[in-house]
Amino acid sequence: RGVDRHLYGLSLFLEKEEEVPSLFRHPLYDRSKLWRVSTSTLPGMAPGFGPVCDTGVGIGYDIRDQSCIFTVTSLKEHRWTQPLCRLLEEALLEMKTIILTDGDDANNNNDQENHCSKL
């Protein structure tokens, strides 16, 4: 969870005159700081959750008893929100179908364990 925050915290311990450790000079470390998909749970669904970089998307979500609510944002020029919302809905519906089908199979075969819970 949030390894970027831990690495950032470690970098704050560096003194100005101290040599920067090789980890913080590595090209992958620079790439790791670019979060194109940034997500956060928003209980009660606050107004929104924005992207953390110009080329990214922000996805806020709230999981409820019988539903999930999502807010997808990006810079308008990219036009990513509608396609991403359609793909997200498609993936969630596929998961629902799998879970419901698996639940039916588990009810018909008492020898199998069902480790899925309903979405």
Side-chain angles (χ1 to χ4, degrees), residues 14-98:
L14 292 171
E15 299 291 332
K16 288 187 179 193
E17 60 279 345
E18 188 176 356
E19 181 181 348
V20 177
S22 61
L23 168 68
F24 299 116
R25 293 189 314 259
H26 197 282
L28 286 178
Y29 175 71
D30 284 335
R31 279 186 58 198
S32 77
K33 294 188 291 183
L34 180 65
W35 294 94
R36 290 217 165 122
V37 177
S38 185
T39 63
S40 184
T41 180
L42 299 171
M45 281 311 280
F49 182 77
V52 295
C53 69
D54 289 345
T55 58
V57 295
I59 302 174
Y61 59 94
D62 186 11
I63 299 173
R64 303 197 175 173
D65 288 340
Q66 298 297 316
S67 63
C68 299
I69 299 172
F70 294 86
T71 301
V72 179
T73 60
S74 71
L75 292 179
K76 195 179 249 185
E77 66 197 53
H78 298 307
R79 301 177 192 257
W80 291 333
T81 55
Q82 287 302 318
L84 185 54
C85 286
R86 282 192 297 275
L87 291 169
L88 180 59
E89 181 181 27
E90 182 180 320
L92 290 167
L93 290 171
E94 285 180 21
M95 286 189 281
K96 179 180 178 181
T97 299
I98 290 169

